[in-house]
Amino acid sequence: MIEPPYRLEPDATAAGLAERYAELEAGGETGATVTVAGRMMLRREMGKLAFATLRDSSGSIQLFAGAKWTADFDGFVKLSLGDWIAATGEVVRTRTGELSVKVSEWVQLAEARRSFGDKFRGISDVDTRYRQRYADLWANEDSRRVLLLRSRIISWTRRWLEDQGFVEVETPIFHPMPGGAAARPFVTHHNSLDVDLYLRIAPELYLKRLVVGGFERVYEIARVFRNEGLSPRHNPEFTMLELYQAYADYTDMMVLVEQMVAGMAAEFLGTTEVTYGGRPLSLGAPWRRATMTELIEEHSGLKVDLGTEAEELARVASGAGVRVEPGWGPGKVLLEIFEKTTEAALWGPVHVMDYPKEVSPLARDHRSRPGYVERFESIVAGRELCNAFSELIDPDEQRARFEEQARAKASGDEEAMARDDDYVRALEYGLPPTGGIGIGMDRLVMLLTDSDAIRDVIAFPTLRPETLS
């Protein structure tokens, strides 16, 4: 094998050629010589002629080789499927109407020593697809389409938020204590400081510090880490959009998420009337708004709220299949009943409003419903898409909430929040009325690409270790 070149400058792409020569007739010649590069994914031989499909990052183009005009034709037909090659030649359209590069010269850039799977079905083994994503992206066009669309969705989100006046920032990934969400953290150790640090489970408390500091509209598209199990909806590391807007409340956040998701659907799908999992779903604004207790009654027939007697609430929970743990108050029991009986049945989209204060330590008290807070979760296709609050701004109340969380942690709740005295100190400088929201970007991409599992929209999802021979 001749050593591949150290660098190459292709001057054309498959998609660019298809656009430029869309009107070229069958049998036509252009007189234009180009160099294309990519993987050879298909090849067929017809005596002294050979046809191959070259795939680059933009699409596919046919290579048309012949013993009379292609240098080292015998070497060309011995190439393996999946080999990287560069080919130079005139752009033509064959008699059968296929736009092609009539190869005069070619060079092998890299040898594919492993198979890319069945040429019609790609890589069908699910475990192989996720572990060897580098192969899956070539063998399965839909995998490549999803990850390309993910990139464009993230880019569009940034532009949209900037148009709304939001400023993008970066906050620490290492936290001195876990905060901003109820989740088990990953722990690491800083040798020089000799302290344990935690991979962030949410950027929330740092973003709100920035609002205290005068950033009135701030956001971060953050990689966050939660030490939890794997499921079609969960990966231990995932991407979260969090934003905070001064002088806003949770109703403003409802409007924001509706406008953003509807705008995104219109941009990338051409409509807000979409299909997910074979079922129709309307993403156009406005979305339905209903309280958690209203939805429980509507979907399960259970009429419960924070005023329900403890014994009756426990009986209802048991009948719904919820095992009530010691130390749970009525708010926690109510949330568990909702998640067990109702959440997955909500096709939506619906803003589930007014969560119990007990399970919402960072949200502001509801202005008219004692015991509840101004919090909502948007449920779309049976899954939580986002979580949002009218943010708690009273430092004394926040300190009391943290102390309550500390007691829960001491009682064995591994997901309870730690007391963050510096955050309370920041609130003492004054946090104006603020609305905040966290949107799971992976789940949003799942929704817009009709993907069933979160690992379909993450390039390299977390998997159980494998043993390589």
Side-chain angles (χ1 to χ4, degrees):
M1 175 181 171
I2 300 175
E3 185 175 7
Y6 279 81
R7 66 183 302 275
L8 186 80
E9 290 190 7
D11 55 21
T13 65
L17 292 175
E19 181 179 0
R20 182 176 180 183
Y21 297 109
E23 303 302 321
L24 185 64
E25 297 179 352
E29 300 177 349
T30 65
T33 299
V34 300
T35 297
V36 292
R39 284 194 189 270
M40 177 184 287
M41 299 304 293
L42 294 172
R43 188 188 65 242
R44 68 184 190 279
E45 301 167 40
M46 301 175 63
K48 297 298 183 179
L49 300 178
F51 301 88
T53 298
L54 182 86
R55 185 180 297 166
D56 64 16
S57 62
S58 73
S60 298
I61 185 79
Q62 179 170 272
L63 302 181
F64 177 28
K68 290 184 178 181
W69 64 81
T70 302
D72 191 13
F73 176 79
D74 291 339
F76 183 88
V77 298
K78 291 178 182 177
L79 288 167
S80 298
L81 298 185
D83 283 355
W84 288 87
I85 68 169
T88 300
E90 181 185 3
V91 181
V92 301
R93 194 174 292 278
T94 64
R95 295 176 187 175
T96 59
E98 191 74 26
L99 188 67
S100 307
V101 174
K102 189 176 180 181
V103 180
S104 57
E105 298 178 352
W106 63 275
V107 61
Q108 186 180 31
L109 304 176
E111 178 186 4
R113 299 185 181 184
R114 292 178 180 264
S115 169
F116 280 88
D118 184 279
K119 67 180 180 179
F120 297 108
R121 292 174 296 185
I123 298 174
S124 56
D125 180 74
V126 172
D127 190 65
T128 301
R129 285 187 57 213
Y130 296 127
R131 290 191 187 279
Q132 300 175 35
R133 183 70 90 179
Y134 37 83
D136 174 54
L137 292 172
W138 287 104
N140 298 305
E141 292 189 31
D142 194 55
S143 296
R144 194 163 58 256
R145 176 191 67 83
V146 167
L147 292 187
L148 283 172
L149 187 56
R150 178 194 176 102
S151 175
R152 292 167 184 158
I153 287 171
I154 298 291
S155 179
W156 183 93
T157 301
R158 285 191 165 95
R159 294 194 305 272
W160 190 85
L161 288 171
E162 287 166 5
D163 288 344
Q164 309 302 313
F166 285 88
V167 175
E168 183 175 16
V169 297
E170 294 179 329
T171 62
I173 292 177
F174 290 136
H175 288 190
M177 62 188 67
R184 293 178 59 187
F186 287 94
V187 187
T188 187
H189 188 79
H190 190 289
N191 291 331
S192 295
L193 296 178
D194 193 25
V195 296
D196 284 341
L197 295 172
Y198 302 86
L199 294 182
R200 67 179 170 199
I201 58 176
E204 175 170 345
L205 300 186
Y206 282 96
L207 290 172
K208 287 191 284 191
R209 285 174 170 96
L210 289 173
V211 179
V212 171
F215 284 81
E216 295 179 355
R217 295 191 180 204
V218 64
Y219 81 95
E220 183 171 13
I221 297 177
R223 201 70 169 173
V224 297
F225 308 86
R226 299 183 182 179
N227 200 347
E228 57 191 16
L230 303 173
S231 80
R233 293 184 291 174
H234 298 94
N235 194 68
E237 55 176 313
F238 59 97
T239 302
M240 178 77 74
L241 163 64
E242 285 215 17
L243 63 87
Y244 294 86
Q245 179 179 336
Y247 322 125
D249 68 3
Y250 77 147
T251 63
D252 295 296
M253 296 299 100
M254 293 178 200
V255 173
L256 185 146
V257 71
E258 290 169 0
Q259 291 179 343
M260 191 184 83
V261 174
M264 197 176 288
E267 173 72 18
F268 294 104
L269 305 180
T271 179
T272 58
E273 303 301 314
V274 304
T275 299
Y276 184 78
R279 291 181 61 181
L281 180 63
S282 178
L283 298 178
W287 296 358
R288 183 187 177 194
R289 302 181 184 187
T291 68
M292 176 188 291
T293 52
E294 288 171 342
L295 290 166
I296 291 173
E297 183 176 4
E298 181 179 310
H299 284 268
S300 67
L302 301 173
K303 193 168 184 177
V304 289
D305 59 25
L306 294 180
T308 303
E309 293 290 338
E311 291 185 3
E312 173 63 12
L313 195 59
R315 186 192 65 77
V316 171
S318 178
V322 173
R323 180 179 176 181
V324 178
E325 300 289 342
W328 284 8
K332 175 64 172 175
V333 178
L334 192 63
L335 175 63
E336 292 293 325
I337 291 172
F338 168 74
E339 292 182 345
K340 188 74 171 181
T341 66
T342 305
E343 183 175 82
L346 298 175
W347 192 246
V350 57
H351 299 308
V352 182
M353 303 168 57
D354 303 352
Y355 277 62
K357 179 177 178 177
E358 178 186 344
V359 294
S360 310
L362 298 170
R364 192 169 184 176
D365 284 348
H366 198 284
R367 66 195 78 181
S368 62
R369 298 186 71 196
Y372 294 91
V373 295
E374 294 196 349
R375 170 187 173 188
F376 75 89
E377 290 188 1
S378 298
I379 306 299
V380 185
R383 294 171 174 153
E384 174 197 340
L385 180 65
C386 68
N387 187 22
F389 314 145
S390 296
E391 300 297 330
L392 178 56
I393 64 174
D394 182 336
D396 296 329
E397 174 69 12
Q398 187 63 80
R399 182 183 291 107
R401 302 265 194 102
F402 279 152
E403 289 172 352
E404 185 176 326
Q405 287 288 296
R407 288 191 291 272
K409 184 177 287 290
S411 298
D413 185 349
E414 295 181 333
E415 294 187 351
M417 295 183 192
R419 174 173 169 167
D420 190 334
D421 290 328
D422 178 71
Y423 177 67
V424 173
R425 178 171 60 183
L427 292 183
E428 290 174 341
Y429 281 89
L431 175 68
T434 297
I437 191 168
I439 300 175
M441 295 304 292
D442 308 278
R443 292 185 183 177
L444 185 52
V445 175
M446 288 170 62
L447 183 66
L448 296 179
T449 59
D450 197 8
S451 298
D452 185 56
I454 194 170
R455 57 188 179 180
D456 290 330
V457 303
I458 296 175
F460 299 102
T462 303
L463 302 169
R464 295 184 184 279
E466 66 172 336
T467 302
L468 294 175
S469 57

